[in-house]
Amino acid sequence: MKKVIEYIVYFLIGEQNKSLAEYIYYGIDKEKKHSVLIEKSDFFNKDIYMTLKSVPQLPLKEINGIPILFGEPRITKENGQIIIHADLIASTFFLISRYEECVRRDVRDEHGRFIGKESLPYKAGFLNRPIVEEYGALLRQCLRDAGLDVKEPQPGFSHIYLTHDVDQIWTWNNYYRALRTVIKRIIKNERNKLQPVKAVYDFKKYDPAYTFPEIVKIEDNFKKTCEVCSSVYFIMGCTKKTAYDLNYILNKERTEQLLSFLKLSGAEIGVHTSYQAAQQMNEFSDEIKRIENIGKVKITKSRNHFLASREPEDFRYYIDAGIKDDYTMGYADVAGFRIGTCRPVRWIDPITRELTSLTLHPMTTMECTLDTPKYMGISDENKAFTTVTDLVDRIYRYYGEITLLWHNDSLNRNRKDYRYSLYIKTLRYISNLLLCKTEK
Ligand SMILES: [Zn+2]
């Protein structure tokens, strides 16, 4: 636990202030020798921890407009020592470790996912704020009030990940399936009636899901204004086709060709954990091996298909399978900061209270979260744009990381919805932020 507390203190004050950690004490500082004391609440007590008693009740108390989960919203000064009565350590721990998901196992949707709209951050109205960064700013202010020289993070982005979950590479497997779609389109008098047949003949040219050259073009252009940007494609490695998973990896030739094309473009490859593997985690390492063999790449990055990262402790399988970075941490049903932060953070296992080697990269938004009726159901493109750019602005303020998730089939310019144009506009917005920064 000592390591975990140390890590949280470092995380809150930021790498640039690491040497100031020795001035902070968490608990009861009898000798009063530390400049800043964070008072410990009863959250970690053994008759409270992992019980429903540990879940904060609404409405939350606020300190300088910042909601706190534990402790009292006061900062006092006694004998020269600044005492923060709000338990910023337990509050941060609760958010970054996915503690709430462990203690509320009954809250899951039909895919076994924790429901964003049932989460404490959503219900308390701060899911759109990286509240852990606000705790950090508060703690830094206390250090400053204690007369220490504290550095604030410079606005900007530490990294931008443009990520794509490849649920499918092509749409129609054969002429029979293509013809069925053609007939449907004729009956409904839809556009592009013959496209399915043409796509079976030449999927790279005609298939609406095969947008990879277009994506590479868009992102190459974006990278001209942004040096800290990576494109990451998450590939499925399952061999069994189900209602939720496609086993495209069995077409070795097509998968191999795609992976070499993406690698050549400078993109990185990760595993898109299948729906089945997320239920039976022993299949996970086989999926990784298949992608590694076909793509001749080492896989250390992951994201769950359907964002179905069901139980927090499943991350243990990820660590055992050699995963170092996970990009799943966003809710499917609502955009925002699922783990309370916009910076990459090491996962703390809430069961064992151990600091692990796995880094979680908070996901800013997934395109279908915005427009799917049962999720946020935003039909107006401007409103969707404001939702995304509001998150982007907050990330910028705290030198956080952006992770955008747009599926390859969403990046087809012939789509009727706003997914393609929203992506272009969002990238333009980020570029402008970066350009303004350079000009300053
Ligand atoms: Zn997926």
Side-chain angles (χ1 to χ4, degrees):
M1 203 44 199
K2 194 169 164 258
K3 262 194 175 164
V4 166
I5 291 165
E6 249 173 40
Y7 178 76
I8 293 177
V9 169
Y10 286 151
F11 190 73
L12 288 174
I13 59 178
E15 194 64 31
Q16 72 278 21
N17 298 306
K18 219 172 166 181
S19 62
L20 302 179
E22 60 175 296
Y23 296 98
I24 300 167
Y25 190 81
Y26 178 56
I28 302 159
D29 185 11
K30 288 202 182 97
E31 292 166 38
K32 312 247 180 263
K33 58 183 181 186
H34 292 84
S35 308
V36 174
L37 167 70
I38 304 172
E39 215 171 54
K40 198 174 177 180
S41 65
D42 60 4
F43 174 75
F44 290 111
N45 290 3
K46 65 175 188 307
D47 55 332
I48 304 271
Y49 192 78
M50 279 295 160
T51 70
L52 282 176
K53 282 187 269 180
S54 63
V55 179
Q57 296 299 308
L58 297 178
L60 296 177
K61 294 167 187 162
E62 290 192 359
I63 185 164
N64 301 348
I66 310 166
I68 54 157
L69 311 192
F70 306 102
E72 291 305 315
R74 281 184 297 129
I75 297 174
T76 55
K77 205 166 183 178
E78 285 171 32
N79 304 325
Q81 186 182 47
I82 293 176
I83 304 172
I84 307 172
H85 300 268
D87 191 343
L88 301 182
I89 303 295
S91 299
T92 303
F93 179 98
F94 183 96
L95 294 164
I96 61 175
S97 69
R98 303 172 68 194
Y99 176 88
E100 185 181 20
E101 299 178 41
C102 281
V103 90
R104 298 182 68 205
R105 303 270 187 197
D106 54 320
V107 180
R108 295 292 188 272
D109 71 359
E110 71 270 31
H111 302 296
R113 306 175 294 191
F114 191 73
I115 304 163
K117 286 174 188 157
E118 289 291 330
S119 69
L120 180 86
Y122 181 82
K123 287 188 164 172
F126 67 82
L127 184 65
N128 64 337
R129 287 162 64 182
I131 214 76
V132 170
E133 269 52 87
E134 298 187 34
Y135 294 153
L138 184 72
L139 184 54
R140 287 193 294 271
Q141 187 53 48
C142 290
L143 286 169
R144 206 171 283 121
D145 292 344
L148 295 158
D149 183 22
V150 189
K151 294 180 195 81
E152 280 303 299
Q154 286 303 303
F157 303 113
S158 60
H159 207 93
I160 297 171
Y161 291 99
L162 305 176
T163 72
H164 309 285
D165 291 357
V166 182
D167 295 345
Q168 54 178 4
I169 300 174
W170 64 91
T171 313
W172 297 277
N173 263 332
N174 49 48
Y175 285 109
Y176 171 71
R177 287 186 176 276
L179 274 172
R180 281 191 358 190
T181 313
V182 171
I183 293 165
K184 249 189 242 163
R185 287 188 183 181
I186 291 171
I187 294 169
K188 290 185 178 170
N189 196 21
E190 283 175 359
R191 295 186 305 168
N192 300 324
K193 292 184 183 60
L194 287 178
Q195 180 194 38
V197 174
K198 290 198 296 200
V200 175
Y201 174 70
D202 186 346
F203 78 103
K204 286 189 186 170
K205 194 166 174 192
Y206 298 107
D207 199 295
Y210 195 87
T211 55
F212 304 99
E214 171 83 5
I215 300 176
V216 169
K217 208 166 88 188
I218 295 167
E219 294 178 3
D220 275 352
N221 200 29
F222 174 75
K223 284 170 193 163
K224 285 178 194 156
T225 56
C226 178
E227 287 166 0
V228 288
C229 176
S230 320
S231 303
V232 189
Y233 293 80
F234 293 98
I235 303 291
M236 300 198 71
C238 56
T239 50
K240 207 171 120 199
K241 187 181 169 194
T242 68
Y244 303 114
D245 298 322
L246 288 176
N247 51 357
Y248 59 76
I249 198 157
L250 290 180
N251 192 326
K252 206 177 155 208
E253 194 192 335
R254 287 188 180 185
T255 311
E256 205 166 23
Q257 279 179 13
L258 174 66
L259 292 182
S260 50
F261 171 75
L262 296 175
K263 274 169 33 187
L264 200 66
S265 76
E268 292 175 68
I269 308 296
V271 56
H272 196 33
T273 318
S274 72
Y275 194 91
Q276 337 161 26
Q279 283 171 321
Q280 292 182 332
M281 289 293 331
N282 51 347
E283 289 178 21
F284 182 52
S285 44
D286 289 340
E287 296 189 349
I288 294 177
K289 275 181 216 133
R290 277 180 214 119
I291 303 164
E292 288 186 330
N293 287 339
I294 292 185
K296 300 185 183 52
V297 280
K298 178 91 190 109
I299 301 289
T300 60
K301 295 183 190 303
S302 63
R303 178 183 291 125
N304 277 75
H305 184 38
F306 274 69
L307 306 182
S309 181
R310 295 186 172 90
E311 306 306 325
E313 61 270 31
D314 292 346
F315 277 149
R316 286 282 172 192
Y317 289 96
Y318 285 61
I319 296 166
D320 292 344
I323 296 298
K324 302 208 177 323
D325 300 271
D326 183 81
Y327 296 78
T328 313
M329 286 300 105
Y331 291 119
D333 60 327
V334 54
F337 300 99
R338 177 172 180 168
I339 48 172
T341 179
C342 61
R343 290 178 295 147
V345 62
R346 274 167 68 192
W347 178 60
I348 297 163
D349 185 334
I351 311 276
T352 61
R353 303 191 218 177
E354 267 175 296
L355 180 66
T356 72
S357 56
L358 181 71
T359 299
L360 306 181
H361 297 265
M363 194 184 74
T364 314
T365 193
M366 167 167 85
E367 88 287 42
C368 49
T369 295
L370 301 163
D371 66 355
T372 303
K374 68 173 177 178
Y375 295 157
M376 294 180 87
I378 306 173
S379 51
D380 176 44
E381 182 172 356
N382 289 329
K383 199 176 162 211
F385 180 68
T386 322
T387 306
V388 180
T389 52
D390 173 59
L391 299 174
V392 166
D393 288 344
R394 290 175 197 269
I395 297 171
Y396 182 81
R397 181 167 166 202
Y398 294 107
Y399 196 65
E401 235 181 46
I402 295 182
T403 295
L404 298 178
L405 160 52
W406 253 254
H407 292 78
N408 49 301
D409 56 338
S410 291
L411 288 172
N412 185 313
R413 57 169 82 219
N414 298 320
R415 284 182 72 101
K416 282 183 249 166
D417 54 38
Y418 61 63
R419 290 183 183 180
Y420 179 91
S421 63
L422 181 65
Y423 191 62
I424 303 293
K425 283 178 194 164
T426 303
L427 293 190
R428 201 177 296 144
Y429 183 84
I430 299 169
S431 281
N432 285 339
L433 273 180
L434 292 167
L435 282 171
C436 292
K437 196 186 164 196
T438 331
E439 280 162 17
K440 265 181 200 165

